[in-house]
Amino acid sequence: MGALRFHLKGTFGRLRCYRHIMAVLAKYGFGEVTGALRSRLSLRLGEKNAPSQVEPAVTAGSRPARVRLALEELGPTFIKLGQLLSTRPDLVPPEYIKELEHLQDQVAPEPTDKIMAQLRRELGGQIENTFESFDEKPIAAGSIAQIHRAVTREGLHVAVKVRRPDIVETIRAECEILSDLAGVLKSALFGHETIELEEMVADFTEAVSKETDLANERRNQLRFSRQFADDPSVHIPEVYEDYCTAGVLTMEYIEGIKPTNKQAIAEQGLDCRILARRVTQFVLRQMFEFGFFHTDPHPGNFFLLPDNVLAPIDFGQVARLSVQDRRFFNEIVLSIVDRDAANIVRCLEHDDMLADRTDVHKLTADIEQLIDTYHDFRLKDIPFGTIGMKTFDLFRHNHVRPPTQFTLMIKSMMTIESVATSLDPEYRLIEALKPYARRSSLRDFEPKQVLRNVRKAVQGAGELASRLPEDISALLTKFRQGKLQVRVHHEHLETLTKTLDKSSNRVSFALIISALLVASSLLVAQQGMVLGLLSFQTMGILGYIIAAIIGIWLVISIIRSRHI
């Protein structure tokens, strides 16, 4: 697999990157956009520096498959972008999601001398002074960091996650290029699909910047450890903060079984039904109780320990939920379970998620049809993953834009249902989901919560009442001093002002032309000289010429504006 792993410094480095992108796009049958890409870059780099046109070489395979292959060859940053796109079924069609989910972050390990030098810089000393032993061969390698096994001076067996040298600068530069080319890449990779790639690139840049900060991952891991401290079915690896920096994360080494290893699970005597229930409870508790959840709970991010204990790893990708987000989610889930299409539409309208072009009647009918599809199903027989994908498809076709957190929640639950059903084919997430949503909704009506809400409302009203006399006095003072200003904003007022400006300018030019013509006609009929330099007739002819030039310019401007 090719990789875009060079330092992007100055025009030359960027030029190499642009050429590589054009070549890869052409290789996988997207050569139709290289001309537009070259024209765009020539404005930024100059005609001499712009990459040359590349002839397209159309290859076999569907467009989504070719998108995946192109992203793989473009390298780790583009792979991560594809992985992010695969988590947004509300924006990306299912055929693309299916292909992008196959993207693997497979990167060759960093050379040993470079990673050891990076580790010494981060920890501020020789490796021998920190670790009793350090295995230079990584046990896992990703595009941002790689993990090594080690033993500390205290005899602790640890996993050391080390950030790759210069990765922060490289990703920042590649994200800038992605942002610059988002419009062109959208056209190249996704054709006429309504995908807001510019917005996605902005979200991606923010997310990947957080992922390169291992101190942020350490804080996330510590927070999960506190939240699940009372849950014996979940073991969060301990973090050893004395051996951590922004570029190094040292944690407890976990020796466990992957959920995909059915043979080892059977040999260790683990109960798949218990494990299926626990992995879903782990995710649902995060969402409904803590409002802070892991957004990528795929099988590779879990280990299974004796006594059916779950050990999650890799806490770089998380999301936070506000109280409003959770209430919205509860309403949607309960409406789906209770088969209430009208309430779903009311929730979407209330939270301002419908576009101007959304047809509410069609949206309601589509939701009712989706619910009717599973009307006769028993609750335990409803596949959450299937209904989730159909919901996203429905949202996309009806121009509904749910919050990003909502999308990540649904996607995370679809992923964890897949993990659970791989362990226990009879397991259904939606059965476990309903009581969580019910409890979360009822929590708003608990006496403590009601009193808390009332107290906040009374406190807010009291503050408003106490400030009211002071605010009225200040308002009256400004009124007496003539300093009271009322600002009115009209949505189309600026457009109207510009139109009036253009119209008045054209009227002014028309008056000037008329004046020139009248004056020139009077001058042409006169005899004599002006200051002994020009005759009246010559000045009259010049006036005619100037009037003609202004008139022609005015006619052209009117025609170009298409308002005749």
Side-chain angles (χ1 to χ4, degrees), residues 383-403:
F384 183 85
T386 301
I387 200 171
M389 285 302 298
K390 288 185 176 181
T391 299
F392 284 131
D393 202 34
L394 183 150
F395 281 179
R396 193 172 58 257
H397 288 150
N398 287 278
H399 314 291
V400 177
R401 287 291 178 264

Side-chain angles (χ1 to χ4, degrees), residues 249-295:
L249 173 59
T250 303
M251 71 194 89
E252 174 188 1
Y253 181 80
I254 299 293
E255 192 85 58
I257 302 169
K258 288 294 183 182
T260 53
N261 192 343
K262 297 294 183 62
Q263 182 178 348
I265 290 174
E267 290 174 353
Q268 293 296 319
L270 302 181
D271 190 323
C272 288
R273 296 181 65 184
I274 293 175
L275 290 170
R277 187 174 69 251
R278 287 182 174 179
V279 294
T280 53
Q281 287 176 342
F282 170 70
V283 171
L284 294 178
R285 281 196 69 190
Q286 295 169 47
M287 295 175 179
F288 289 95
E289 294 183 24
F290 309 133
F292 179 80
F293 66 99
H294 197 302
T295 62

Side-chain angles (χ1 to χ4, degrees), residues 366-378:
D366 288 348
I367 294 174
E368 287 176 348
Q369 184 179 356
L370 177 61
I371 291 175
D372 286 343
T373 303
Y374 299 96
H375 184 270
D376 296 326
F377 280 54
R378 292 179 300 174

Side-chain angles (χ1 to χ4, degrees), residues 46-65:
E47 189 66 30
K48 290 184 178 180
N49 289 326
S52 57
Q53 182 73 32
V54 182
E55 289 299 322
V58 179
T59 59
S62 66
R63 190 180 188 92

Side-chain angles (χ1 to χ4, degrees), residues 147 161 217 221 235-237 251-252 254 258 282 294 296-303 311-316:
I147 302 176
K161 190 171 186 176
E217 182 176 346
Q221 190 163 341
H235 178 77
I236 307 296
M251 71 194 89
E252 174 188 1
I254 299 293
K258 288 294 183 182
F282 170 70
H294 197 302
D296 192 25
H298 64 76
N301 282 338
F302 291 104
F303 281 110
I313 59 172
D314 194 352
F315 301 90

